[in-house]
Amino acid sequence: MCGIVGYIGNQQAEPILMDCLARLEYRGYDSSGVAVRENDKSNDIKIYKDAVRVSVLQKQSPHFNGSTGIAHTRWATHGPPSLLNAHPHLDCTGRFAVVHNGVITNYQELKRQLIKEGHNIVSETDTEVIPHLIEKFYKGNLEEAVKLTAALLIGSYAIIVLCKDEPKLVVAKMGSPLVIGIKDCEKFIASDTPAIINYTNKVVYLEDGDFGVITEDRVVITRNGEEIHREEKKVNWCKEDAQKTGYDHFMIKEIHEQPKVIRDMILEDALSDSKLTIGEDVQSLKIIACGTSYNAGLIGEYIIEELLGIPTTVVFGSEFNHRRAIFPNEAIVITQSGETADVLSAMKTMQNAGVKMLAITNVPGSTASRLSDRTIYTRAGPEISVAATKSFIAQLISLYQLVLLHPDVDNNIREQLVTELKDLPTKVEKLFDLEPQIIECAKYIAQCKDAFYVGRGINFPIALEGALKLKEVSYIHAEGYAAGELKHGPFALLNKGVPVIAIVAQDGNHESMLISIKEIKTRDAYVIALADEEDDSIDSSIDVVLRIPHTHALLSPVLHIIPLQLLAYYTAKLMSCSIDFPRNLAKSVTVE
Ligand code: G6P
């Protein structure tokens, strides 16, 4: 999991590369590096890299004078973070520099052969074989050398190649994402669109097997030796989407964007595209996702079974190919990035088995959208913070919409839910009034070692997601449980003062939640309850009650997750954690 960028144009490349790279740090940030082709007679490739984050690289790197370059932010897979393992990688002569995202699975074999042939390979990475192979095959035509090299690579790659002898960049893609941004006399290449939206919103998405030769004013894409046309697309994201715009962190900015995300998603026409629902004759469904998207999938499972009665199971993308696959009639794939390797590999298996797939993704042109039969694009805008917030809400809204579009939903319930959906943005805005109270809770949690989250029914996945958020950004051990399960084990861990965050929805589980809370309080735990503003049954023994605006029980997860996102954020902030880029985590996990 790495981020790669390239620039060719009429400006100094280095500051642009650094700026783009900083926006890709969510893909990894244990090392970074930049290479620029000098604008002088030598055309030498100048390189600076280290096991540091982009902000440090930016300060330390000497300023290179050149308008063509490449850069990389790394998430170590082969070889620990170190200067030698950082990208870009060079060949023996220093004429070729390469940045790579993906994994070359046959690199050991290629490396052995190259060493036998006298190449000096200095890193432990899988990537370094690429510049050496290009060196071996180069006969005055970079594109040809890259093609010959790619023919030997097994695994996944998006690569950008810089050559001292040719004023161009050559790219190749197989299994890892690559997008080219187009602007008059400038071209930008990146793993993902947010990296380049500061410069252009016109993009071309490459497909697996594509090669590209990019000069200041042209992009030539070839495939199987033939030149092909790939449509230029306009991205509806703006510069501000990829900036903090006055907020301390992307996470809190993105939490605050949620009312707008819901508004944008429930536009009048969103509930009218009857293609974007589950087929009428579907007997069973599987939902495939990872991480936060998996938790959204669990809520999807609940509403599909509740409103449509279609048996549904949710499977981790990472588990799908590791057990006997019982193929459903249809599958829903939920993935913010559309690039999670485990999800894509499950999708490929389902594609081969002829399963119809509907993808819910936030990234136009992503691999998941291309592998699926139909795609619902969530309108969350680019999400930069590694911990997903607004994309989760957007996934939930998509799931509600796709279920409500199904003809089997009872008309009365549909009407009620559509009306309530439209009121959600205002109710979410009201939730932000809770921030001072949530900061007080965060002060309590920040000094604890563990935290438990409990919910029932449709809010059980919210307990999982609340706990996941806290773990991700504050590194406090947190677990989400179905409230009734506490007594089957976790009770052993409850003692005086342990925080338990309880979601008390106004639904059929209300009474049993109150009973669970009584049991928890008996163990002297510190209970923070999320309770409906109209709920007057909340016991005075509960330590903190966060009052949540009333909505339809089936929509309550949308309102319950937001205070929990805020709780995680403020706890991490009090603990001075690296909130947007938590240790050991990356936003898009593009390796299996
Ligand atoms: C990573 C991210 C999570 C995300 C998960 C699935 O682990 O850190 O925030 O939920 O991947 O990503 P996807 O893009 O498939 O939703």
Side-chain angles (χ1 to χ4, degrees), residues 414-427:
R414 181 185 292 111
E415 251 172 59
Q416 277 174 40
L417 287 172
V418 169
T419 311
E420 286 287 341
L421 266 172
K422 290 184 179 153
D423 284 345
L424 278 182
T426 318
K427 291 180 179 172

Side-chain angles (χ1 to χ4, degrees), residues 292 336 362 378 380 383 388-396 587:
T292 289
Q336 186 283 130
N362 197 36
T378 50
E383 189 176 62
T389 54
K390 62 175 181 172
S391 63
F392 177 72
I393 287 293
Q395 290 166 348
L396 294 190
K587 185 138 193 85

Side-chain angles (χ1 to χ4, degrees), residues 166-455:
E166 299 188 34
K168 59 176 67 150
L169 293 171
V170 173
V171 300
K173 171 186 161 22
M174 183 63 71
S176 300
L178 203 59
V179 58
I180 304 173
I182 314 282
K183 198 178 166 187
D184 313 326
C185 289
E186 292 174 281
K187 304 290 169 281
F188 309 81
I189 305 150
S191 300
D192 203 352
T193 326
I196 55 176
I197 47 174
N198 247 354
Y199 302 94
T200 181
N201 63 355
K202 286 190 221 143
V203 299
V204 172
Y205 297 103
L206 293 194
E207 302 270 348
D208 282 352
D210 285 358
F211 291 89
V213 176
I214 300 153
T215 49
E216 273 180 32
D217 41 22
R218 274 201 83 191
V219 174
V220 178
I221 300 171
T222 55
R223 200 180 163 77
N224 302 324
E226 304 277 315
E227 184 171 337
I228 52 152
H229 174 73
R230 289 245 173 267
E231 199 191 331
E232 191 177 297
K233 303 221 162 114
K234 201 164 167 227
V235 181
N236 286 331
W237 291 352
C238 62
K239 283 182 187 178
E240 290 69 31
D241 286 335
Q243 291 164 355
K244 285 192 212 148
T245 59
Y247 285 95
D248 288 344
H249 299 95
F250 280 108
M251 184 177 179
I252 187 71
K253 177 190 177 225
E254 289 162 3
I255 291 173
H256 276 261
E257 280 171 358
Q258 293 179 111
K260 178 176 181 307
V261 170
I262 304 174
R263 270 192 197 105
D264 289 350
M265 298 231 7
I266 52 175
L267 295 171
E268 294 301 319
D269 62 349
L271 280 164
S272 60
D273 189 348
S274 56
K275 285 196 298 296
L276 296 180
T277 186
I278 304 152
E280 280 181 48
D281 49 353
V282 166
Q283 304 293 312
S284 68
L285 264 173
K286 271 200 164 68
I287 299 179
I288 316 292
C290 294
T292 289
S293 301
Y294 176 86
N295 292 337
L298 292 175
I299 292 171
E301 173 196 6
Y302 191 98
I303 53 174
I304 290 166
E305 294 200 338
E306 182 75 21
L307 297 176
L308 302 177
I310 302 173
T312 304
T313 43
V314 193
V315 186
F316 285 119
S318 55
E319 283 292 305
F320 192 87
N321 285 331
H322 298 275
R323 56 189 286 182
R324 179 176 165 197
I326 308 286
F327 293 107
N329 307 116
E330 263 188 42
I332 299 173
V333 175
I334 309 177
T335 166
Q336 186 283 130
S337 62
E339 303 295 348
T340 300
D342 288 323
V343 170
L344 298 183
S345 117
M347 286 183 87
K348 284 173 193 155
T349 308
M350 285 192 288
Q351 195 180 45
N352 290 336
V355 176
K356 282 210 178 105
M357 288 180 280
L358 174 93
I360 299 179
T361 181
N362 197 36
V363 181
S366 57
T367 311
S369 71
R370 281 182 270 118
L371 285 173
S372 59
D373 301 278
R374 292 161 297 151
T375 303
I376 299 182
Y377 285 111
T378 50
R379 300 189 199 179
E383 189 176 62
I384 311 289
S385 156
V386 167
T389 54
K390 62 175 181 172
S391 63
F392 177 72
I393 287 293
Q395 290 166 348
L396 294 190
I397 301 296
S398 300
L399 288 162
Y400 289 120
Q401 287 178 339
L402 84 84
V403 172
L404 291 176
L405 280 168
H406 199 281
D408 289 357
V409 175
D410 176 272
N411 275 335
N412 277 338
I413 297 186
R414 181 185 292 111
E415 251 172 59
Q416 277 174 40
L417 287 172
V418 169
T419 311
E420 286 287 341
L421 266 172
K422 290 184 179 153
D423 284 345
L424 278 182
T426 318
K427 291 180 179 172
V428 173
E429 273 154 5
K430 224 172 134 196
L431 282 170
F432 296 135
D433 294 344
L434 291 173
E435 280 184 81
Q437 212 188 344
I438 292 172
I439 292 171
E440 290 309 310
C441 297
K443 286 182 188 160
Y444 185 88
I445 299 208
Q447 38 91 37
C448 297
K449 280 210 182 79
D450 309 286
F452 295 92
Y453 290 69
V454 292

Side-chain angles (χ1 to χ4, degrees), residues 18-32:
M18 293 286 188
D19 181 53
C20 296
L21 202 60
R23 285 169 220 293
L24 278 186
E25 266 201 317
Y26 65 82
R27 302 178 67 89
Y29 38 83
D30 58 41
S31 320
S32 53

